[in-house]
Amino acid sequence: MLKRLDRIRFRGQRRDEFLDLAESPNTSDTECTEEVLIKPRFASRESEELREAGPGFSAALQDDSRTDLNEVKGHLEIALLEKHFLQEELSKLKEESNVDSLRQELEKERCRRIELEQKINDVLRSKETLSNSFLKWLYERFGVYIEDFRFQPEEKTVETEEPLSAKRLTENMRRLKRGFRPVTNFMRNLSALSSWYSVYTSAIAFIVYMYAAWNGWVIPMFLFLAILRLSLNYLIARGWRIQWSIVPEVSEPVEPPKEDLTVSEKFQLVLDVAQKAQNLFGKMANILEKIKNLFMWVQPELTQKLYVGLWFAFISSCVLPYKLLGFIIAVYAGIKFFIIDFIFKSCPKLRQRFDTPYIIWTNLPTDLQLKERSNTTLSRRATVAGGRGSLTAAAPMGVNRDEDGGRYYSTKRGAFHEVFNLPESERPLPVCENGWRCCLINRDRKTPTDYIRNGVLYVTEKYSSSSRSGSSKRNKVIKLLDIKEIQKYKVLSVLPGSGMGISIATPSTQKPMVFGAMMHRDEAFDAISTQYNKILAMATAASPET
């Protein structure tokens, strides 16, 4: 083969002149054959052209075409030989690499992998079944408690408001009263026990309590009393009739609810319930405002006592042992509840002088009282600024001083006795210190400005007066002895209820004067009637017998 290759190389050009196979483009056998076939065609055409051109030129061209054919043949033989060598090398590589054995090993490895995957899946399935059964058992046992600890957003529910109804309003007030009844009964029994309403019961309770306090059994005693109370409630719920109370309970008559109410009855019912609610809310507001003012140093001399007491309790708790401290507190509470409170309740003057908690609570002002005090202070400053050179008045201008109690009475426009041209001894009754808002209807007048006037009604010891905006000439003063007739009056008969006015007949008026639009009509009527009867009784007693 090598000798033949040398011959081929000798016939054609040198080896160095040919392109290297690594640098030459990859071509197939068919491409080579096509080139060989195409070139003779071009050569035949060129030979025909050369024959036509001439014999001399054709001889030169034949030598060139032979050399080209030799070159093509050489290339073709070289390509065939290299292809043969490559095929032999490929067959040797296949024999050395053992492709079939590798394929068999690959198939075996695939089978092993599939078997391992099946085994792993079986193990995982068995574990999942065990874990699922264990988790299911845990959830059945403790799932309810676990669900309680799950964090969830709080659901905001909007309560539907019921429309205003007289029946529902009265029912709610009765429910509130029934709900407070156990608390009021308990407080009433405690008060009766402290005031020695039943001497034997209070004495036994005092001895038992002091014995328990001496031995340090106060807390167990109260726990035992709570258990005893619950046991009695259980028996009562079972149908036993057990009634134990220091103060006999007063059973209030329960009115059966009326189904069909007239418009006037409904209106009056709403007014009664609104008045009760107003009084209840007023009491609760007074309590809360007093507590707030106590801690906010509104009355420094009162809060100072609480401050000192807290420091004393703090130092005692740090120095004294708890057993001794508890013994002192228990003994003091028993003596205070059973003896000191009984003495203070029996002797009010002692209570007003020495009962510190009572003094603090009664002297604590509410926000309404603070507002009134600020208004009085402003009026005092205004009157003092207006008459700095006058020092003869015992009380500032616009204020009437009660010599006995040291209180000042005033209206928004000045001193009470000056506004109504009354003696200085005349002052409003305690019931109407601030007066009652009303409107005076003088039916003798015909002009609209004089017919109805808004103002405030006051009642003194001898007079009934009404203050209105404007000059003092527009104020009305009526002597109680000049009253001929007084009665409750209903201005408009169309409106429901018993009315909100008072009719007063005097000799100076042809028609009775009416004080209408009074929210506290019954209170004002009772005050005027009571004072009128008192003055009338005093006048009849002072007049000589006939």
Side-chain angles (χ1 to χ4, degrees):
M1 295 291 292
L2 294 174
K3 292 179 179 181
R4 187 179 178 182
L5 182 59
D6 293 335
R7 290 177 184 176
I8 293 169
R9 287 178 182 174
F10 177 76
R11 289 177 184 176
Q13 295 179 359
R14 293 182 178 179
R15 178 75 175 174
D16 299 334
E17 294 179 0
F18 294 106
L19 292 173
D20 192 2
L21 292 175
E23 295 177 0
S24 63
N26 296 325
T27 55
S28 60
D29 298 337
T30 56
E31 291 177 355
C32 296
T33 55
E34 287 177 358
E35 290 178 359
V36 174
L37 293 174
I38 290 168
K39 286 182 179 180
R41 291 177 185 175
F42 285 109
S44 61
R45 290 178 185 176
E46 291 176 358
S47 61
E48 290 177 358
E49 290 176 358
L50 291 173
R51 287 175 185 176
E52 292 176 359
F57 187 73
S58 63
L61 290 176
Q62 284 179 0
D63 293 334
D64 292 335
S65 63
R66 288 178 181 175
T67 58
D68 292 335
L69 288 174
N70 291 329
E71 289 178 359
V72 171
K73 287 180 181 180
H75 282 293
L76 182 61
E77 289 178 355
I78 291 169
L80 290 174
L81 290 172
E82 289 181 353
K83 180 180 178 181
H84 180 70
F85 291 152
L86 290 174
Q87 287 178 354
E88 289 180 354
E89 290 178 359
L90 180 62
S91 61
K92 289 180 180 180
L93 289 173
K94 286 181 180 180
E95 291 177 356
E96 292 176 357
S97 59
N98 297 324
V99 177
D100 297 331
S101 62
L102 291 175
R103 286 179 181 176
Q104 292 177 0
E105 289 179 359
L106 182 61
E107 290 294 331
K108 290 180 181 179
E109 291 295 332
R110 286 179 182 175
C111 295
R112 289 178 183 177
R113 182 179 61 81
I114 293 170
E115 290 177 357
L116 289 174
E117 287 179 355
Q118 290 179 354
K119 290 179 180 180
I120 291 170
N121 291 329
D122 294 337
V123 172
L124 291 175
R125 287 173 185 174
S126 62
K127 288 183 178 179
E128 286 178 359
T129 53
L130 291 174
S131 61
N132 289 334
S133 60
F134 180 69
L135 291 174
K136 187 176 181 181
W137 178 79
L138 282 178
Y139 184 77
E140 290 177 354
R141 288 296 183 90
F142 306 102
V144 179
Y145 306 103
I146 295 171
E147 289 291 333
D148 295 337
F149 287 96
R150 181 176 293 178
F151 293 97
Q152 293 179 355
E154 185 179 358
E155 296 180 358
K156 296 181 179 180
T157 58
V158 180
E159 296 182 358
T160 58
E161 296 183 355
E162 297 182 0
L164 181 62
S165 172
K167 185 177 179 181
R168 177 67 66 182
L169 189 59
T170 53
E171 184 181 354
N172 290 339
M173 289 298 295
R174 288 172 183 170
R175 288 171 56 197
L176 182 64
K177 192 175 181 180
R178 288 195 299 268
F180 267 105
R181 188 173 297 169
V183 180
T184 54
N185 291 338
F186 178 72
M187 297 301 295
R188 190 169 64 249
N189 288 324
L190 281 181
S191 178
L193 196 65
S194 175
S195 59
W196 295 72
Y197 181 84
S198 176
V199 180
Y200 297 106
T201 306
S202 297
I204 293 170
F206 177 69
I207 293 169
V208 171
Y209 177 83
M210 294 304 294
Y211 181 77
W214 185 265
N215 292 291
W217 299 342
V218 176
I219 295 176
M221 182 190 69
F222 282 120
L223 293 175
F224 175 75
L225 290 175
I227 294 170
L228 181 62
R229 183 71 252 185
L230 285 176
S231 303
L232 292 176
N233 291 339
Y234 174 76
L235 296 177
I236 291 170
R238 288 292 182 179
W240 290 42
R241 293 185 178 181
I242 300 173
Q243 292 182 357
W244 181 83
S245 178
I246 301 173
V247 181
E249 296 182 2
V250 180
S251 61
E252 298 179 358
V254 180
E255 297 180 359
K258 297 180 180 179
E259 296 295 335
D260 298 329
L261 296 175
T262 61
V263 178
S264 60
E265 289 176 348
K266 288 182 180 179
F267 185 77
Q268 188 64 35
L269 186 62
V270 171
L271 287 179
D272 295 339
V273 174
Q275 184 178 4
K276 292 179 181 178
Q278 173 188 343
N279 298 333
L280 178 62
F281 293 155
K283 291 178 181 178
M284 295 173 64
N286 290 338
I287 293 171
L288 295 176
E289 287 174 359
K290 284 188 175 185
I291 295 172
K292 186 254 299 183
N293 294 332
L294 175 64
F295 286 98
M296 295 303 296
W297 293 82
V298 176
Q299 206 79 8
E301 62 274 8
L302 300 178
T303 310
Q304 186 178 2
K305 296 179 181 180
L306 176 64
Y307 187 73
V308 173
L310 290 176
W311 270 110
F312 179 75
F314 172 72
I315 295 170
S316 301
S317 63
C318 294
V319 174
L320 299 176
Y322 286 106
K323 187 175 181 180
L324 179 60
L325 186 64
F327 171 76
I328 294 172
I329 293 172
V331 172
Y332 172 75
I335 295 172
K336 176 75 170 60
F337 182 78
F338 286 100
I339 297 175
I340 298 175
D341 287 348
F342 172 70
I343 295 172
F344 283 156
K345 288 178 183 178
S346 302
C347 304
K349 291 184 178 180
L350 288 175
R351 187 175 193 179
Q352 292 175 3
R353 293 180 62 184
F354 299 106
D355 192 359
T356 305
Y358 175 79
I359 293 170
I360 292 174
W361 185 254
T362 52
N363 291 330
L364 276 173
T366 60
D367 291 347
L368 185 61
Q369 293 174 351
L370 291 174
K371 187 177 180 181
E372 292 176 357
R373 289 181 185 178
S374 62
N375 293 332
T376 305
T377 305
L378 290 175
S379 64
R380 288 181 189 176
R381 291 177 181 176
T383 53
V384 169
R388 291 180 180 177
S390 175
L391 299 175
T392 57
M397 187 67 179
V399 179
N400 184 21
R401 185 177 179 86
D402 186 1
E403 296 177 356
D404 299 331
R407 301 188 62 180
Y408 293 94
Y409 296 98
S410 65
T411 61
K412 293 182 179 180
R413 296 189 296 106
F416 180 81
H417 67 280
E418 292 180 357
V419 171
F420 295 103
N421 295 325
L422 296 174
E424 293 185 2
S425 59
E426 290 293 328
R427 57 183 182 272
L429 297 177
V431 183
C432 61
E433 290 182 357
N434 298 321
W436 296 294
R437 299 291 302 177
C438 65
C439 64
L440 175 60
I441 302 173
N442 192 349
R443 293 184 289 180
D444 291 340
R445 305 294 179 90
K446 295 183 180 180
T447 58
T449 56
D450 295 334
Y451 185 77
I452 299 177
R453 293 177 182 175
N454 295 320
V456 183
L457 177 64
Y458 297 93
V459 179
T460 64
E461 294 180 357
K462 297 180 181 180
Y463 296 89
S464 174
S465 55
S466 177
S467 173
R468 293 176 295 279
S469 60
S471 63
S472 60
K473 296 180 180 179
R474 304 177 67 181
N475 297 333
K476 187 70 177 176
V477 179
I478 303 171
K479 283 187 177 182
L480 294 177
L481 288 175
D482 293 341
I483 295 176
K484 291 183 178 181
E485 184 182 2
I486 179 173
Q487 60 181 356
K488 296 179 181 180
Y489 187 77
K490 187 176 181 180
V491 180
L492 297 175
S493 58
V494 181
L495 295 176
S498 60
M500 300 172 66
I502 298 174
S503 174
I504 297 176
T506 60
S508 61
T509 56
Q510 297 178 359
K511 297 179 181 180
M513 289 182 295
V514 177
F515 296 90
M518 296 180 67
M519 292 298 297
H520 302 280
R521 190 272 308 271
D522 296 336
E523 185 180 359
F525 181 81
D526 294 338
I528 296 172
S529 300
T530 304
Q531 194 65 23
Y532 173 74
N533 294 328
K534 187 187 296 185
I535 294 295
L536 188 62
M538 292 171 61
T540 54
S543 62
E545 296 181 358
T546 56

